[in-house]
Amino acid sequence: MKTITAAICIAAKDLKSYFRDRTGMLLGFLLPIILVSVFGLTMSWVFGSEGGMPKSTLWVVDEDQTEKSEFFITQLRSADMIVVRPKPDDEARSQEDLRQEIADGEVHHVLVLSRGFEAAVAAGKTPELIMLRDPGREMEDQVTRISIMQAFMATSEGKMWPQALAGMMDKMGLDDQGVDQIMGLSKGIQATISAFVQSSGGEAEEPKTTEEAKEKSTEGGFDFGSFMTDMVPLTTEDIQPPERPKNLSYILSQNVAGVMVMMLMFGLMACSSMLILERESGALPRLLLAAIPRDSILLGKFFFAVVIGLIQLLILSAYGELVFEVGLFRDPITLIIISFTWVLAATSFGMLIASWAKTTKQAEGLSTILILIMAALGGCWFPIQQGSIPWGAKIVTHSTLTHWAMSTYQGMLWHGFTWSHPKMLVSLGVLWGFTILGSGVAVSFYRKRYVAG
Amino acid sequence: MLQSRVLLDVKELRYSYGERVAVNGASFQIHRGEIFGFLGPNGAGKTTTISCLSGLLGDWKGELLFDGNTFSPSKNIDDRKRLGTVPQELALYEDLTAKENLTFFGRLNALRGSELEQAVQHALQIAELTDRENSRVKEFSGGMKRRLNLAAGTLHKPDLLLLDEPTAGVDPQSRNHIFEALLNLKKNGQTLLYTTHYMEEAEKLCDRIAIINEGEVCGVGTPHELASRAGNADANLEEIFLQLTGRKLRDQ
């Protein structure tokens, strides 16, 4: 037989074997389709259907309660890049409440429209806008500022840009004479534009600078984004939870948690075919006929996977701490509790597949699909938690193991929660619930498939 | 009280895989201290019968009596302790050494401490692998693995050792060694149930033989008794076997 004929013959044999395990084959073919769908869905939840930047949530406290402040908020709501809270029909939140929420890591940006907002805008003066923010949420900061700038310009009908520009130049360190020159020039341009569009001219007022510190460095070149957003007269106040390490950003904590959660699941994928391999090696009958309770075989596999999982998490945690200094070990008890809980839940998941699958192909196919889906939906890849996702999508994400595992790691890393915090207890409780349920179903499958009588 | 000659009494054993009847009322007795051969064509029900006796299959019908007592190894751990198994597949862990394999299986059969250590050394002697006790099984030849596979089944000194084609795929030297080991076990009072395709093996080793065909036992006795029953006292076991089971291929 010639080489090509022999190769075709071998390929035909392999194809025949491959197609014979229909479940395994289906899982293999479905994998890319499912992944594309899940990717697309999660991306649209997180980044919006237009596929732009992730929508950031901005809480607004309207202390002015006037038509102008309401108009400003309406303008904010129409911005594409942010979601404004509270919703129009929801109850307003107080500044103090929201400050606490920032301190707890629940909210990251709050815009306070102080009393006198309408009066200031009407008088062509710079209104007082206070931005309370979590300094770790840098990614959302720029998006929020751009949206505020757009709303601010629309509210002031474009008449306040000379003051804003002068104020921004002042912040950047321009001397008073220069600021006055910019102001004069800007007013001239403003008057020309006003005359051109036959609109009422804005009365010139003395510019007001924001209270923001002047030490902001202008080194490092010109940043157009900052240049534009700095024109908004925002007084920024950083609120930081005391326990959080300085160099820990939200994205970094999300990445660290995501990698820990996902990699553990990949590491444990091997356990999904353990029973099948034991059977294929011929050793399983000898184990089943030994003088031991037969459930101990499954339990032994469970213990093995738990030990391997704990070692994996320990190595990942140590490496993460060494390289990124994210403060993983600042609460060792909480780290141990959540890691142990997550290993148990993930192992139960592995055993469930191990006891269900009939072939290695089925076990590996199903576990790959489920791990990748859960990683995407649970927020391991994208910061799905920060997006404003529909309630149906919330149900889907909350039904994944990874979501609850991410909640525990994010809770510890970002929010600084200890294991006994009510939110942590809920997440840990869900994971324990799955461990019990998953193990129970796994035992039931195992008894049916492997144990006689 | 005198022990009964019968160690295992199999009465009207039945087992079906869905609609297909694999064992259809098989009855035979295994006597204490004998090597009992179990022969049959492919698909005759040999492996299913062994699986019922060993406890791998549990929902059979009929009656099993071990030493006169009801026997249910699939449900009862103490019943399983009375059995040793040497499966057709090499039930060994390739990444473990010979000693580690034996120690592991010994522990699973309730052996501990010095008793375990002695049992392991004895098993290594049976397998003639004492000098290779710390070698990994994956370094062994097929014959060495077969010998170790056999030794692992004898570790806890079971009352009945079930052997499912223990010489499949081994060279004549290893096969001969396995025969010697089995005869030595018998000499020491071990009862064995031996399943094989090789007539000459059964003829050479077995005191009594059961021939199973299409799920039913069609003959039990010594080779001489079977030959007499077949009406040809000079017939060899293969001729008797073909006469009792027919010449038609069974696994088409």
Side-chain angles (χ1 to χ4, degrees), chain A residues 1-11:
Chain A
M1 198 181 267
K2 288 184 178 172
T3 308
I4 296 294
T5 319
I8 290 169
C9 188
I10 291 166

Side-chain angles (χ1 to χ4, degrees), chain A residues 163 183 187 202-206:
Chain A
Q163 287 93 326
M183 186 69 169
K187 280 180 178 172
E203 293 90 61
E205 287 286 334
E206 282 300 306

Side-chain angles (χ1 to χ4, degrees), chain A residues 337-338 341 408 419 423-433:
Chain A
I337 289 172
I338 64 175
T341 303
T408 58
W419 67 270
K423 285 190 175 173
M424 294 287 270
L425 288 177
V426 169
S427 299
L428 290 169
V430 172
L431 290 174
W432 273 100

Side-chain angles (χ1 to χ4, degrees), chain A residues 35-63:
Chain A
L35 285 183
V36 165
S37 311
V38 171
F39 254 110
L41 204 62
T42 10
M43 297 270 277
S44 70
W45 289 342
V46 177
F47 300 113
S49 53
E50 292 86 18
M53 289 288 286
K55 285 199 172 192
S56 173
T57 303
L58 173 68
W59 281 83
V60 177
V61 178
D62 184 4
E63 291 180 344

Side-chain angles (χ1 to χ4, degrees), chain B residues 20 31 36 65 80 160 163 224 230 246 252:
Chain B
R20 192 175 70 81
H31 296 166
F36 186 82
L65 297 174
R80 288 208 285 278
L160 175 63
L163 301 115
H224 182 69
Q252 282 181 316

Side-chain angles (χ1 to χ4, degrees), chain A residues 155-228:
Chain A
T155 306
S156 66
E157 294 164 349
K159 286 181 277 186
M160 296 201 65
W161 73 269
Q163 287 93 326
L165 180 61
M168 189 269 298
M169 297 307 289
D170 182 44
K171 274 198 291 179
M172 290 176 76
L174 194 69
D175 59 27
D176 291 346
Q177 194 183 350
V179 169
D180 287 344
Q181 283 172 354
I182 292 276
M183 186 69 169
L185 181 64
S186 303
K187 280 180 178 172
I189 295 169
Q190 174 71 52
T192 309
I193 293 169
S194 298
F196 182 74
V197 298
Q198 295 180 328
S199 61
S200 57
E203 293 90 61
E205 287 286 334
E206 282 300 306
K208 278 210 167 182
T209 60
T210 67
E211 293 164 19
E212 209 162 39
K214 289 188 178 178
E215 69 253 14
K216 184 173 178 180
S217 171
T218 54
E219 287 173 9
F222 182 75
D223 176 1
F224 186 73
S226 301
F227 178 82
M228 295 300 288

